[in-house]
Structure formats: C-alpha cells, structure tokens
Amino acid sequence: MTNNPIIEVKQLYKSFGNEPALNNLDFSVEKGEIFGFLGPSGAGKTTTIKILTGQLNQDSGSATVLGSNSQHFKENIYEHIGVVTHDSGLYENLLAYNNLVTFARIFNSDKKSIDPLLKRVGLYNDRNKLVKKFSQGMKQRLILARAILNRPEILFLDEPTNGIDPGTTKEIHKLIFELRDSGTTIFLTTHNMTEATKLCDRVALLNDGKIAEIGSPQDLSLKYNKKIQFKVLLKDNESLKLNDSEETRGKINWWLENGELQTIHSCEPTLEDVFLQVTGRKLK
Amino acid sequence: MNISLRKINAIFILKLQLFLGNLSLLMIPAMAIGYVVIFKNFFPANTVAFKALTLNMGILLNIIMGGIMFGAYPIAEEKEHHTLGVLMTSSINATEYFIGSLLPALLILTITNIILVPLNGTSWNQVSIINYLIITVICSIISILIGFTLGLFSKNQTNAGVVSLLPAAIFTLVPLFKGFSNKISHTSDFLYSGVIPRFINQSLFKHSYSWSLFEVSVLIAWFIIFSIVLFYAYRYKHFD
C-alpha cells in the first residue's frame, strides 16, 4: 500500500441545530485500501459520507476527495466516484438492464460491460425484469452494479449489507474484495463489527461524532488485548479458558505432545469489545 | 458550468421511457385529444365560435394541465424514490437534468398540439403554423417550469398531483372564462396561458394574428420568473 491519501479530512465539524453530528474529525484514506467507518446508529457515519460525496456542506474543517474540496465539487468528479447509500434509489418502472444502460450513457461507458457486470452481481437472468419486482437484496446488488459501472477510483458504501440475507452479503463481500484488488479505494460504513473485521484494511471507530480509535482491526485487537488468554478444547471435550502464564504454556505443550488438544484459540478482543472498552457503549 | 449533450441525451431517453410507461401522465394529452374528437363528432355545431372554444379547451388542457403535470410528477417521483440524488452524484448537473427532462415532455405536448388542429376540423390555412408552434412551445415550456418547481416542493407523486391542481385550474379556466367579465378578461391578459385563446380566436375569427409587444412581454416575464423560481427551488430542495 502506498502512502497516497485519496481522501483527507481535517477538523471536520458539522452540527444539526445545537447537536454536533461530527466533532472535528481528522483522518485520511490511502489509495487502494478498504477503510471502514464503524459506529452505532447516529454516530455520524452517513453525515460523513454525505459530506465526502458533496451532498452536504460541513460547518467548518475540510474534506478533500481525489484532490478536490468536497464543498466545491465539479460535476465531473462524480465520473470517478461511486456512491451507494441506504437511500440510493432505482428507476422501479424500468428494466434492470435499462437502469444500467441509462448510467452507461451518462458515464459514456461501453454498454457491452453491462452484461458481465450483471453476471458478476448475479442478476443476469433477471436483467429484463422490472426493478419494482425485485427483492431488497436484488435491488441492493443492482445499486452496487450501477455504482461500479464507471469503474470508480473511490467507492462509498453506506451500510451496504444492512438488511440483506447472508448469501447476498457473502456475494457483496466477494465483490468488494475484487474491487479493492483491482485498485478501487473503498470507504465503507457499517455497524457490523464482523463485517468490518473481515473487509477492512483499517477502521475508524466513531462515537458521538468523534473518532475514538483508528487502525487495522488486528492492530486494534492487539492494542486492547490487555489480558492474554487461550481457549482450548481437549480430547475428552473439556473446554478451558486459561490465562497466559508459564504454567499455561507448559500445559499446552504437554497436551500438544500427547495429542490431547482438539482446538486452541487466542482470546484477543473483537472490534465490538474494543469499541466497548474505548467508548463505554455497544455498537448496536 | 459545462453542459454535455451526451448527458442531456441520456436524461432525455430515460424520461421518454418513463413518460411512455406512465399512463396517468399520458391520460392528459389523450383527454385533450378525446375532448376535441368528441366535441367535433358528437356536437357538430359547425360554427367558428364552437370550433374556437373546442380548440382552446383542448390546447389549454394539454399545455397547462399536461405541462404542469409532466413537470411536477417526474420530479416528485425522483424525490420519492431517491433517484434525483443518484443522478446528481452521477455527474449530471441541474441544467442537463432540466433540459433532458423538459425536452421529452415538450415533444409529447407539441405532437399533441399539432394533432389537435386537424382533429378539430380547423385548417392550417386558418392558423399560422409558425405562430402556433412558437406560442404553444413557449407556453408548454413555462407550464413545465411551473411543474418542475411544484415537483421540487412536493413530497411524493400524490402530493404533486394535489399541489398542481390549483395553478393548473387557474391557468386553464381563467383564459377560457375571460368572456364572462372584464375582471377575468383583464386577469387573463396577464397570464401566459391567456395568449393562447387570443391567438386562436384572432386566427379563426379575423383570419390573421399579429404579435403585440404586451403579449411578448407577458410570455418573457413568465418565463424569466419561473426560471428564477426554479433555480432557487432547486438550489434549496434538490437533495431533500
């Protein structure tokens, strides 16, 4: 990963009435990474995405995306950005294929890229169906397909798998990895810590409009792993949770040498545990 | 602000597809045609006054009711289904969006206006087609601009229908009833829709029509006022 910020946010402040929604945020996102914005509902995730995509103006501070100030975006910057928010709509009275053709015309993309894209999101067989007949999961996949039709340099995903079935979620995760591998930077918001741990190269933990922590999921887990423990399952199905010590290491070695050990896991905290430690509140 | 013909064309095709699939909207030009056909065939009073009344009613219904609805409904629908924000974050600017949305509506209304004249039994020898097109196109554009503005302030399509009714009724009925009183006639003179019956009546009764500075000023004033109102309405409401 190169040290090349593609999103740079400095002292970003936004309030609604007297309530600060974002309180002097500072962070940057590097080219080609999946950056997760993790926080409970109302933490300021969607507000941040709206500011970064030029749909909302901040009160103070700056947000720079692809070198442009988000308050003064020119229309053509959107040719390099894909946006999927929870209120991204579709033309329900058009066929799925025609929805994409419209945006292919806008982006001057090759219409031949539509069919492979529909295959990639698993909607090729439904391309000639009206969108109003689609399930929520199918609509979400079509919205994602539309957002990547122009091969964006940055893809903003606001809770992309919220309310989606596990099968579709898995497909969307696969697609996100493929996009990252092809060089797209992904800015993702979620309150699902399992999703964030699985997908994100780095996460920012957002609480009450402030960034409480920032780093890779692994680094954060290790940083807050104050009490090193191991969870073991022995051959006689006895399950034990052991604190790290000379004695524990000796026991584990003995069980290993004698074939007594079925499974062993370290017990570092999950992102949800880290969030709880840092903010004193749960994610959901 | 750059304007891309490719993007205008994309919006034009999109809106044309949506219009042609929207029976509620297509009912308005169909009603205008139906009204003229029914009155021509079932009330065959072949007087000039009757022809003028029927043609005026058909054109006003199409241009005012149709124009306002063709402007208001699609924007309200975009807001209701959150597609306006999607277009705006897909490199479409306001000018491209409004031109692309206006042109297919104008095309449908203008085709209907052209059909109405022969359907009414009026010859193009009686009505100057150039003046007819200029007046109906300008009035249609103003109606669509009014519709766009109402659509931006509407929460959904039902709401757009409700808020459009009063202005549509005023702009349609006042010019039609101008013969009832001097006050109505005077008010009609200041409405953009008032130009239509004046043009039709003069063409059919006097067999000639000449533009007056007052009529040109009325049309220009309404166009400028609603362009400015739309500009500010869009500025404050488009991402709602």
Side-chain angles (χ1 to χ4, degrees):
Chain A
M1 202 176 290
T2 57
N3 187 17
N4 184 11
I6 202 161
I7 298 173
E8 208 158 19
V9 170
K10 287 179 183 167
Q11 292 292 298
L12 194 68
Y13 182 88
K14 175 74 185 172
S15 66
F16 295 106
N18 292 326
E19 286 292 309
L22 302 177
N23 204 341
N24 298 322
L25 297 189
D26 278 296
F27 65 90
S28 62
V29 179
E30 292 172 10
K31 189 171 166 53
E33 72 173 330
I34 301 178
F35 186 85
F37 232 45
L38 193 60
S41 297
K45 303 187 298 289
T46 301
T47 303
T48 307
I49 279 205
K50 287 201 166 176
I51 290 173
L52 292 177
T53 54
Q55 298 180 66
L56 191 67
N57 284 339
Q58 64 267 36
D59 296 336
S60 62
S62 69
T64 310
V65 177
L66 289 170
S68 296
N69 185 330
S70 69
Q71 279 184 306
H72 307 292
F73 273 172
K74 296 227 163 43
E75 289 85 32
N76 58 8
I77 196 167
Y78 293 113
E79 290 172 6
H80 309 283
I81 291 176
V83 184
V84 176
T85 62
H86 59 271
D87 59 2
S88 292
L90 291 160
Y91 290 98
E92 305 238 337
N93 290 318
L94 288 187
L95 306 175
Y97 182 82
N98 285 346
N99 263 272
L100 295 190
V101 166
T102 297
F103 287 85
R105 287 193 188 106
I106 290 171
F107 293 127
N108 205 19
S109 305
D110 189 352
K111 285 183 201 161
K112 286 177 189 162
S113 66
I114 293 174
D115 281 346
L117 194 56
L118 283 166
K119 282 179 187 163
R120 207 168 161 191
V121 295
L123 291 174
Y124 181 72
N125 292 332
D126 301 296
R127 66 192 183 285
N128 289 325
K129 278 187 188 163
L130 289 176
V131 170
K132 65 182 173 189
K133 293 183 178 166
F134 274 18
S135 68
Q136 193 53 40
M138 292 163 85
K139 285 180 185 173
Q140 191 68 5
R141 280 183 279 158
L142 188 60
I143 288 169
L144 193 55
R146 182 181 63 195
I148 60 176
L149 187 63
N150 55 331
R151 299 174 183 272
E153 288 179 52
I154 307 177
L155 183 60
F156 290 94
L157 300 172
D158 189 10
E159 310 260 6
T161 57
N162 199 15
I164 303 296
D165 65 87
T168 308
T169 297
K170 202 173 168 186
E171 289 301 313
I172 289 176
H173 286 174
K174 193 176 154 201
L175 188 58
I176 289 171
F177 280 128
E178 284 174 20
L179 289 167
R180 192 267 313 266
D181 294 343
S182 66
T184 303
T185 305
I186 293 161
F187 184 95
L188 171 102
T189 74
T190 181
H191 62 259
N192 182 333
M193 54 87 195
T194 312
E195 181 170 68
T197 307
K198 182 180 172 188
L199 292 177
C200 299
D201 297 309
R202 285 193 307 139
V203 293
L205 306 183
L206 192 67
N207 184 43
D208 291 335
K210 291 179 184 169
I211 291 180
E213 260 299 358
I214 194 163
S216 74
Q218 185 177 309
D219 288 348
L220 291 180
S221 293
L222 293 176
K223 182 177 173 182
Y224 288 89
N225 192 13
K226 305 286 184 202
K227 196 174 169 186
I228 299 172
Q229 291 182 311
F230 302 98
K231 202 173 171 182
V232 295
L233 180 67
L234 301 178
K235 219 171 181 181
D236 58 4
N237 285 333
E238 186 185 0
S239 178
L240 299 168
K241 199 171 189 181
L242 305 164
N243 291 330
D244 183 35
S245 65
E246 276 296 321
E247 186 191 352
T248 298
R249 287 193 283 269
K251 277 183 184 173
I252 290 171
N253 278 336
W254 188 86
W255 286 324
L256 277 170
E257 281 165 11
N258 292 282
E260 290 291 321
L261 200 60
Q262 280 201 74
T263 63
I264 179 166
H265 298 280
S266 58
C267 295
E268 66 272 16
T270 63
L271 276 183
E272 187 156 21
D273 298 329
V274 172
F275 193 86
L276 186 64
Q277 276 192 54
V278 173
T279 67
R281 62 188 285 202
K282 288 191 173 182
L283 267 172
K284 287 179 184 173
Chain B
M1 186 186 284
N2 293 326
I3 294 176
S4 158
L5 288 179
R6 187 189 76 244
K7 291 175 187 172
I8 291 174
N9 181 50
I11 299 296
F12 175 86
I13 296 169
L14 167 70
K15 292 291 177 176
L16 194 59
Q17 284 175 326
L18 293 171
F19 286 152
L20 295 177
N22 189 331
L23 287 180
S24 307
L25 279 180
L26 292 178
M27 274 305 288
I28 301 168
M31 272 167 59
I33 291 170
Y35 175 87
V36 169
V37 169
I38 288 168
F39 273 72
K40 163 93 176 13
N41 292 294
F42 293 95
F43 302 93
N46 202 18
T47 64
V48 176
F50 190 76
K51 271 189 179 176
L53 177 71
T54 313
L55 188 57
N56 277 326
M57 185 65 191
I59 296 169
L60 284 170
L61 184 64
N62 184 50
I63 288 180
I64 310 302
M65 186 73 80
I68 291 177
M69 294 297 183
F70 270 84
Y73 262 76
I75 289 200
E77 187 181 14
E78 300 254 29
K79 287 182 74 184
E80 193 176 348
H81 293 144
H82 306 289
T83 45
L84 190 55
V86 173
L87 286 176
M88 297 305 148
T89 53
S90 304
S91 77
I92 295 287
N93 63 39
T95 310
E96 290 159 349
Y97 176 77
F98 284 116
I99 293 174
S101 300
L102 184 141
L103 290 177
L106 192 60
L107 180 69
I108 293 170
L109 296 177
T110 302
I111 289 171
T112 309
N113 286 332
I114 292 171
I115 292 170
L116 288 177
V117 175
L119 283 180
N120 181 58
T122 301
S123 162
W124 284 113
N125 293 329
Q126 295 169 275
V127 179
S128 156
I129 191 163
I130 303 290
N131 284 337
Y132 182 79
L133 284 177
I134 291 171
I135 289 171
T136 54
V137 164
I138 292 172
C139 289
S140 298
I141 290 172
I142 295 169
S143 293
I144 296 167
L145 293 181
I146 293 171
F148 283 159
T149 308
L150 294 171
L152 280 171
F153 283 101
S154 305
K155 287 178 192 139
N156 51 43
Q157 293 174 84
T158 312
N159 188 229
V162 173
V163 298
S164 299
L165 271 179
L166 183 63
I170 290 170
F171 288 120
T172 306
L173 297 178
V174 171
L176 275 179
F177 296 148
K178 63 184 284 188
F180 286 18
S181 81
N182 281 340
K183 269 188 184 173
I184 298 177
S185 177
H186 194 59
T187 307
S188 172
D189 289 342
F190 286 92
L191 301 182
Y192 71 95
S193 53
V195 178
I196 296 166
R198 273 202 303 281
F199 166 70
I200 296 296
N201 293 344
Q202 283 187 28
S203 298
L204 295 188
F205 288 109
K206 297 180 181 171
H207 307 293
S208 70
Y209 175 77
S210 55
W211 287 86
S212 73
L213 184 64
F214 178 75
E215 284 171 348
V216 173
S217 306
V218 166
L219 290 178
I220 291 173
W222 279 96
F223 177 77
I224 291 172
I225 288 168
F226 271 94
S227 299
I228 293 169
V229 170
L230 177 63
F231 174 80
Y232 282 101
Y234 175 79
R235 198 167 160 184
Y236 293 108
K237 301 292 287 181
H238 71 294
F239 275 131
D240 276 8

